[in-house]
Amino acid sequence: MNKIETLCLLCSQPLQSAISWKILLTKQFQPTICDRCSARFEHSPTATALYQYNDAMKDYLHQYKFLQDVALAKVFRQELHARFKLEKAAIIPIPMHPLKQRERTFSHMEELLKAANIPFIQLLEKTTTATQSSKNREQRIQAASLFRLMAKAHVEHKEYLLFDDIKTTGTTLRHATEVLLNAGAKNVKIFTLING
Amino acid sequence: MKYKGWLLPPALRDFHEGRIWLKEHTTFSKGDIEKSINHKYFHIIEGIQKEPHLKCNRCHNDNLQLFTTFACSKCQQQCIYCRHCLNMGRVSSCTQLMIWTGPRAMRTRKHSLKWAGEFTVLQQQAANEMLESVKAKRSHLIHAVCGAGKTELLFPTVHYALQQGLRVCIATPRTDVVLELYPRFQTVFPQTMIHALYGGSPKQEGYAQLVLATTHQLYRFERAFDIMIVDEADAFPYTFDETLQSAVQKAKTENAPIMLVTATPSQKLLTQYQNKSYSFIPKRYHNRPLPVPRFHSLWSYEKSLKRGKIPRKLKQWTEERLARKEPFLLFFPKVELMKIATPLFQLLDANIMAVHAEDPQRKEKVLKLRHEEVPGLLTTTILERGITIKNVQVAVIGAESTIFTSSALIQIAGRVGRNANFTDGDVVFFHHGITTEMDDARTKILYYNKKGFS
């Protein structure tokens, strides 16, 4: 996972990184996608997400999650690192069901954080294997609790930050927040890669 | 009494014969697959081979840049996967590939050839030479100019091979070509089961003895075909991507001959075949010379288009085509430039449209031009080959661009005058300076005409 990319991870065109003082003097990740591909992503105006859902994001999620292209975890590492490096709350990525994770062969949320070199903890576990995307809005909002605390999890009276890939109705994040607050968390913030 | 043993479902055999397939991707029931494996009907290999060097066992990619290692939750180890053929379903170290080694599908020898056309003398000669090569199991290169009737040439050879009970594949780098060939072969071989395979093709039942496929789809085959025909063997990305060439080699049986068919063979191909099994047709089927491209300067066309103005000479040319109601194709070097130019041309005639590679309506738009519903199309190089439109006129804008190689330019010029009733037409290369590739294209076309009519 640490190799330097010479081709754009999305369109396979050769990457030409221009040398600049900023790159030489600050510690930055090497770019993994070309300027043309990165221009297709749309920044989110909200404070709780990095990007807005659009066609480019749809293609990205398809290749990353459905085609299981783990290498794409690196695409947003610079942006995620910049967002999280000064974060004081403990970061919790939304977990996958163990069966689901074995099927996909990796946890897409954890890989995003690992690629960005951001430490995280895990206190929750998923209770169902059903996916949110297979349900409609009503079904999502009415769903039974999607998460529970892990067996030996110790929730402190402090601030936590939940990190998920995409927020549509917000049900997933609401469920996880409730579990943490009921267990004694002081405050729970949320952040997503994409605003749906 | 009820039979309690297990019978191999014929559909499973028909599908898997000749294919190399991801075990988790098979559409057949787990029980049938497990039983087939127990009967040793499948040879199972690992997805990624580590020794002697890293290689994907499906697409034979060995470029280290295109492999990624990660901590796999399935096998709890460091897994490697191939990014080169990712779109066909991921192949990683812990996935298994299945190759059929069980009983072979039933092949019929009853195939009829329903074709009433007639060959020209040159076509007949080339068709005979090709048939001879197939009988001798020798690879062969057919070099025939655009519009020489290459597809028809294949009919006798394919018919002979099918009657011998051989499995035949016609592969081409372009999806458009597969789509164009499929209905033609279906009418000519009405008794034969034919499958057309390309990215996103529908599921097709039964065992096809004749397969039309894009070269990419050949990654999914292994030692399947007794005759391999590669049409448009010089087209992008076949010459560019070495794994596609190795896919052709692995999809055929060891002794199967390869028939290469092209209008613009590379020098490498020519030297390889010219002295042994090579057929050359310098003349079109309707016996008229190839239209020779003219060069026309169009200085700073890019600047002019970006300023919102069609250069005067180009505007004149387009207006002339519109006035004479001749369908036309305008080739652009870049999609970006074409997108800038499209609204400008639509001012001349609102029905002019543009097509590019990712256009979902690409097929419909070409049909509209053929049916004279639109006066002309702006296009990138994707329409350089495989399309036939009656009385079409062609202009290349920025013929000096590197994307227009001599073979691309010959193919583009080859769109013109293919119909027996309209054997001539205008081919203009509008340029900002003449390149050797342009000169080369023109010299070759003149040479073919000289060869054909001397």
Side-chain angles (χ1 to χ4, degrees):
Chain A
M1 287 296 281
N2 293 323
K3 69 171 194 247
I4 292 172
E5 304 295 333
T6 54
L7 303 177
C8 171
L9 284 176
L10 297 176
C11 69
S12 305
Q13 294 299 311
L15 281 176
Q16 298 146 330
S17 52
I19 295 286
S20 69
W21 287 110
K22 196 178 167 192
I23 289 175
L24 280 173
L25 299 176
T26 60
K27 212 176 141 198
Q28 282 207 330
F29 291 106
Q30 289 281 333
T32 56
I33 58 171
C34 65
D35 294 344
R36 252 176 68 186
C37 286
S38 72
R40 289 183 64 213
F41 296 114
E42 189 186 337
H43 283 277
S44 171
T46 64
T48 55
L50 271 181
Y51 294 95
Q52 207 63 33
Y53 189 72
N54 63 3
D55 281 345
M57 252 323 154
K58 191 178 162 190
D59 296 344
Y60 169 82
L61 287 178
H62 175 82
Q63 191 170 336
Y64 182 43
K65 287 167 73 178
F66 181 75
L67 293 176
Q68 307 169 344
D69 196 357
V70 195
L72 295 195
K74 295 198 281 188
V75 168
F76 300 116
R77 59 184 177 179
Q78 181 59 47
E79 289 79 4
L80 285 175
H81 185 83
R83 169 62 182 79
F84 285 137
K85 67 179 175 196
L86 299 175
E87 181 61 57
K88 292 207 178 65
I91 297 169
I92 304 177
I94 292 292
M96 286 173 91
H97 194 276
L99 282 177
K100 236 5 221 182
Q101 181 165 342
R102 207 169 310 153
E103 201 180 300
R104 186 171 285 157
T105 71
F106 63 98
S107 160
H108 58 284
M109 296 316 298
E110 289 180 14
E111 291 297 331
L112 281 175
L113 290 172
K114 277 189 216 162
N117 211 359
I118 296 292
F120 59 89
I121 55 166
Q122 192 52 275
L123 300 171
L124 303 170
E125 58 189 19
K126 189 91 182 272
T127 53
T128 64
T129 51
T131 60
Q132 286 298 86
S133 54
S134 63
K135 301 179 202 157
N136 66 25
R137 196 182 169 87
E138 295 306 305
Q139 286 168 326
R140 284 189 199 193
I141 289 166
Q142 286 162 5
S145 187
L146 298 167
F147 302 97
R148 61 168 170 252
L149 279 188
M150 282 165 75
K152 282 173 195 155
H154 177 63
V155 180
E156 289 171 65
H157 185 68
K158 63 171 194 180
E159 195 168 43
Y160 291 97
L161 185 142
L162 284 166
F163 178 50
D164 202 0
D165 53 352
I166 185 163
K167 175 173 173 255
T168 316
T169 60
T171 306
T172 309
L173 289 160
R174 190 165 48 80
H175 280 252
T177 308
E178 271 166 24
V179 174
L180 287 174
L181 285 177
N182 288 342
K186 185 175 156 200
N187 184 23
V188 180
K189 296 195 288 184
I190 56 164
F191 190 79
T192 56
L193 179 67
I194 309 155
N195 189 24
Chain B
M1 260 245 312
K2 224 175 137 190
Y3 181 66
K4 284 200 181 128
W6 173 76
L7 285 175
L8 168 69
L12 193 154
R13 173 200 63 196
D14 290 351
F15 180 81
H16 278 290
E17 191 196 314
R19 279 189 163 96
I20 176 165
W21 210 255
L22 269 173
K23 193 174 162 195
E24 50 215 74
H25 270 211
T26 178
T27 51
F28 296 94
S29 78
K30 262 205 170 109
D32 282 337
I33 292 291
E34 285 308 321
K35 289 214 175 73
S36 309
I37 293 172
N38 290 342
H39 277 76
K40 299 218 169 7
Y41 286 170
F42 276 118
H43 177 55
I44 306 270
I45 57 171
E46 53 180 0
I48 306 286
Q49 159 194 312
K50 290 209 180 83
E51 299 294 329
H53 64 278
L54 207 56
K55 190 174 101 177
C56 170
N57 273 329
R58 179 170 62 188
C59 71
H60 287 198
N61 159 46
D62 57 0
N63 178 356
L64 288 178
Q65 269 293 321
L66 293 174
F67 289 102
T68 294
T69 314
F70 72 106
C72 178
S73 308
K74 191 170 122 200
C75 63
Q76 311 291 338
Q77 278 174 3
Q78 289 290 308
C79 249
I80 303 172
Y81 73 93
C82 171
R83 296 192 72 237
H84 184 260
C85 57
L86 187 78
N87 278 327
M88 299 184 152
R90 196 182 72 176
V91 174
S92 64
S93 314
C94 66
T95 49
Q96 291 178 319
L97 293 165
M98 311 189 296
I99 303 167
W100 185 253
T101 48
R104 294 218 306 182
M106 306 288 255
R107 296 181 182 184
T108 156
R109 281 162 194 258
K110 266 194 208 144
H111 298 276
S112 57
L113 174 65
K114 218 179 97 191
W115 183 63
E118 237 176 78
F119 281 141
T120 62
V121 181
L122 282 169
Q123 272 181 316
Q124 188 65 57
Q125 192 189 338
N128 291 347
E129 285 167 357
M130 187 174 174
L131 195 56
E132 283 309 307
S133 288
V134 165
K135 284 180 183 165
K137 289 201 184 302
R138 183 173 62 206
S139 293
H140 194 100
L141 171 67
I142 295 211
H143 177 190
V145 296
C146 304
K150 288 189 286 282
T151 312
E152 290 81 9
L153 274 186
L154 305 178
F155 295 158
T157 305
V158 171
H159 188 220
Y160 166 81
L162 290 174
Q163 279 184 322
Q164 296 294 307
L166 301 174
R167 199 177 191 190
V168 182
C169 176
I170 303 177
T172 159
R174 302 276 176 126
T175 306
D176 308 66
V177 180
V178 175
L179 291 174
E180 175 142 335
L181 291 183
Y182 186 45
R184 278 172 86 180
F185 274 87
Q186 273 181 318
T187 30
V188 172
F189 296 102
Q191 276 183 307
T192 311
M193 171 85 85
I194 308 176
H195 283 181
L197 305 176
Y198 48 90
S201 59
K203 195 173 184 286
Q204 292 156 77
E205 300 289 326
Y207 175 81
Q209 212 183 315
L210 176 59
V211 172
L212 310 179
T214 56
T215 40
H216 271 98
Q217 295 299 318
L218 297 183
Y219 291 143
R220 294 174 149 164
F221 286 89
E222 189 134 321
R223 268 175 262 168
F225 301 105
D226 308 299
I227 309 272
M228 177 65 79
I229 299 170
V230 186
D231 195 6
E232 308 279 7
D234 60 304
F236 181 84
Y238 182 70
T239 40
F240 172 79
D241 189 343
E242 269 176 40
T243 63
L244 287 177
Q245 291 164 49
S246 99
V248 166
Q249 293 293 339
K250 83 166 181 130
K252 71 183 192 67
T253 59
E254 237 163 276
N255 300 321
I258 304 182
M259 307 282 124
L260 297 166
V261 186
T262 171
T264 43
S266 64
Q267 198 52 47
K268 198 175 142 204
L269 277 183
L270 279 175
T271 34
Q272 196 182 338
Y273 286 94
Q274 213 154 22
N275 296 325
K276 9 181 230 182
S277 44
Y278 170 74
S279 309
F280 179 44
I281 308 180
K283 229 184 336 188
R284 287 188 156 172
Y285 73 100
H286 53 51
N287 222 354
R288 301 290 308 158
L290 295 159
V292 181
R294 0 181 235 121
F295 295 171
H296 227 315
S297 61
L298 200 68
W299 309 112
S300 313
Y301 59 91
E302 196 167 346
K303 232 187 208 166
S304 173
L305 286 172
K306 280 183 180 159
R307 243 190 275 126
K309 204 171 146 250
I310 304 175
R312 188 176 45 83
K313 287 179 198 164
L314 180 58
K315 198 173 170 186
Q316 254 172 18
W317 187 88
T318 317
E319 280 170 342
E320 204 175 304
R321 301 285 85 78
L322 288 169
R324 290 163 68 170
K325 294 211 181 326
E326 291 165 339
F328 62 87
L329 287 170
L330 285 173
F331 286 88
F332 283 84
K334 284 180 291 191
V335 191
E336 292 81 21
L337 189 64
M338 183 176 86
K339 283 187 176 157
I340 294 171
T342 313
L344 305 178
F345 279 94
Q346 281 167 344
L347 289 179
L348 299 179
D349 188 314
N351 289 329
I352 292 176
M353 290 201 281
V355 271
H356 58 93
E358 276 120 55
D359 195 334
Q361 287 184 318
R362 167 175 164 185
K363 246 165 80 184
E364 290 80 8
K365 286 180 179 171
V366 175
L367 274 180
K368 274 190 178 162
L369 183 65
R370 195 171 292 165
H371 296 148
E372 294 173 3
E373 285 166 33
V374 295
L377 283 181
L378 312 190
T379 172
T380 56
T381 49
I382 54 147
L383 292 186
E384 78 180 28
R385 59 182 82 220
I387 66 156
T388 305
I389 288 157
K390 197 173 71 185
N391 197 24
V392 73
Q393 316 287 312
V394 164
V396 179
I397 291 146
E400 80 289 345
S401 307
T402 42
I403 191 162
F404 293 120
T405 57
S406 71
S407 59
L409 290 169
I410 292 173
Q411 291 284 357
I412 288 171
R415 297 308 101 209
V416 178
R418 294 164 79 94
N419 192 289
N421 298 322
F422 301 94
T423 58
D424 207 6
D426 198 15
V427 187
V428 205
F429 293 170
F430 288 114
H431 62 82
H432 183 87
I434 297 171
T435 59
T436 44
E437 297 288 328
M438 288 164 66
D439 273 332
D440 196 29
R442 199 178 130 95
T443 318
K444 274 186 185 150
I445 290 173
L446 287 169
Y447 168 76
Y448 296 151
N449 280 344
K450 197 176 139 205
K451 272 271 171 189
F453 296 91
S454 58

